[in-house]
Amino acid sequence: MRNYLEKLANKQNLSFGEVKEAASQCFTDQISDSEIGAFLIALRAKGETAEEIAGLVQIIREHSLQTTNSIPNAMDNCGTGGDGSNSFNISTTAAFVIAGAGVTVAKHGNRSISSKTGSADVLEQLGISLALSKEQVEEILTENQIAFLFAPNVHPKIKRFMKVRMDLRIPTIFNLIGPLTNPVELNTQLLGVNRRDVLPMMAETLNKLGRKRAIVINGAGYMDEASLAGDNYITLLDKGTITSFTLHPTEVGLPVYDNGQIRGGDAKQNAEILLSVLKGNHGPHLDTVLLNAGLGLYANGAAATIREGVTMAKESIMSGAAMEKLQKLIQYSKKIPSEAI
């Protein structure tokens, strides 16, 4: 570890293999919390690369309790958080819409960290279990095309990293990698980030992690979701090729709304918003979900264009398919013995 710390201190990038070795050491008792903290700070001070992010993510996934590659063409739609918008749970709501349109969504998430209500908080409010085993996740993904993977359940071995993060109280590489550590082997992904400068790097990271197709987005107002407030900055990964462009909601037939109109609240309020959207109630919440779900369907390749993705998303909601995915997940959860999380 000392050699890697010295290299980072000298502003030298670590290779994919070097980061994997350093990260592996952090999972042993031979490395102290201080050394883990020094590793995270040194990476941040130098500036993380795609190889370094991918290497750390791969080791974390290898230590997950639920790593699986048995689900074909699975995707995730998740943001890194930290945008300070206090929006409702956009990606969580959009996940049911994407699933309702026929795409398998392995939704990976956590409780609230930087926002009022995290994906786990709102889903728990709706009656969805956070305690799915690997076998249960695989079963429900096969039967219902959407399941929720609660990060602390699938990554219990990174508790030391989390403790060091809390002690440091500054952003680290972990502020970027949460959505990348999904233990399900993903074919495609929609990734939201709150930093516009990292879009190409995160797309390259997804490429190194084996994604065939993905979108990395920073929304208007620097949201880690697509926004109706103006231009959204997008980087597309398609079979190794990376391109960037902007998207205004009017280009796909959607209206403009200020980001203040999509603020959320506590878990109960956000659950009510989610249900309202899946019932097809018109307004800024619904239109925001249509844009994000449309982008997800385009990222997956199920839609040939973003506009077509928005149309498919609307059909998923209006037909009741998205709501049916939610209800089936709730019913499945009722069969699972409750566990204290």
Side-chain angles (χ1 to χ4, degrees):
M1 177 62 80
R2 181 178 176 181
N3 291 335
Y4 298 136
L5 292 177
E6 287 182 351
K7 193 170 182 178
L8 291 170
N10 291 323
K11 304 296 183 183
Q12 297 178 40
N13 297 332
L14 300 184
S15 69
F16 182 74
E18 287 174 330
V19 172
K20 286 182 62 178
E21 184 177 343
S24 295
Q25 291 180 26
C26 293
F27 282 92
T28 70
D29 294 334
Q30 300 171 352
I31 300 297
S32 68
D33 287 355
S34 296
E35 288 175 299
I36 294 175
F39 179 58
L40 298 180
I41 291 173
L43 278 170
R44 186 200 177 200
K46 177 189 67 66
E48 301 92 341
T49 67
E51 283 201 347
E52 290 166 346
I53 296 172
L56 177 58
V57 166
Q58 184 161 318
I59 292 302
I60 289 174
R61 292 188 72 255
E62 287 177 6
H63 283 82
S64 167
L65 298 185
Q66 296 194 13
T67 302
T68 178
N69 59 2
S70 63
I71 307 300
N73 200 29
M75 77 168 294
D76 192 2
N77 67 318
C78 186
T80 58
D83 62 12
S85 67
N86 291 319
S87 60
F88 74 102
N89 299 91
I90 297 169
S91 63
T92 305
T93 310
F96 291 102
V97 180
I98 294 169
V103 173
T104 299
V105 182
K107 189 77 176 80
H108 180 244
N110 208 334
R111 294 195 185 278
S112 174
I113 296 175
S114 60
S115 60
K116 288 185 179 180
T117 307
S119 54
D121 301 306
V122 73
L123 292 175
E124 190 175 50
Q125 177 69 32
L126 290 164
I128 292 172
S129 174
L130 306 183
L132 295 178
S133 67
K134 176 182 176 179
E135 293 72 25
Q136 289 167 333
V137 166
E138 292 175 348
E139 179 183 351
I140 194 64
L141 282 175
T142 301
E143 293 181 0
N144 195 44
Q145 292 188 289
I146 184 168
F148 181 71
L149 295 95
F150 185 44
N153 270 10
V154 299
H155 301 299
K157 297 182 181 180
I158 65 169
K159 285 182 178 178
R160 287 185 70 200
F161 279 108
M162 296 302 99
K163 177 184 179 299
V164 171
R165 282 188 70 195
M166 294 295 292
D167 290 343
L168 290 175
R169 296 174 183 243
I170 61 171
T172 68
I173 193 171
F174 275 86
N175 291 78
L176 295 172
I177 67 172
L180 306 180
T181 60
N182 193 319
V184 175
E185 191 69 34
L186 302 176
N187 193 54
T188 57
Q189 189 158 3
L190 173 62
L191 170 64
V193 295
N194 64 4
R195 289 172 51 190
R196 208 158 283 172
D197 61 305
V198 300
L199 290 171
M201 180 183 70
M202 296 304 286
E204 182 57 37
T205 301
L206 289 167
N207 185 40
K208 291 182 181 299
L209 290 171
R211 307 295 190 268
K212 300 298 184 292
R213 188 174 164 91
I215 279 178
V216 188
I217 185 164
N218 177 257
Y222 290 89
M223 287 186 65
D224 69 332
E225 314 271 6
S227 166
L228 298 172
D231 286 330
N232 295 276
Y233 290 75
I234 294 171
T235 298
L236 171 68
L237 166 69
D238 187 13
K239 298 176 182 176
T241 300
I242 294 173
T243 55
S244 297
F245 58 96
T246 60
L247 176 74
H248 195 275
T250 56
E251 295 177 54
V252 290
L254 291 171
V256 174
Y257 287 104
D258 185 87
N259 285 338
Q261 294 180 264
I262 56 169
R263 286 199 179 98
D266 60 19
K268 184 175 185 296
Q269 290 171 306
N270 283 10
E272 290 170 352
I273 293 172
L274 185 152
L275 291 171
S276 174
V277 170
L278 297 191
K279 289 175 183 176
N281 293 331
H282 295 284
H285 298 123
L286 173 64
D287 289 331
T288 298
V289 169
L290 290 177
L291 179 57
N292 281 274
L295 279 163
L297 291 165
Y298 178 64
N300 175 264
T305 65
I306 298 171
R307 182 180 281 269
E308 181 182 329
V310 171
T311 300
M312 291 172 64
K314 188 177 295 185
E315 174 61 22
S316 173
I317 292 173
M318 298 308 170
S319 68
M323 181 66 84
E324 184 179 353
K325 298 296 182 184
L326 169 63
Q327 295 300 331
K328 284 187 176 180
L329 193 53
I330 294 171
Q331 290 302 315
Y332 188 91
S333 295
K334 289 180 179 179
K335 303 175 187 177
I336 301 170
S338 59
E339 294 185 26
I341 301 298

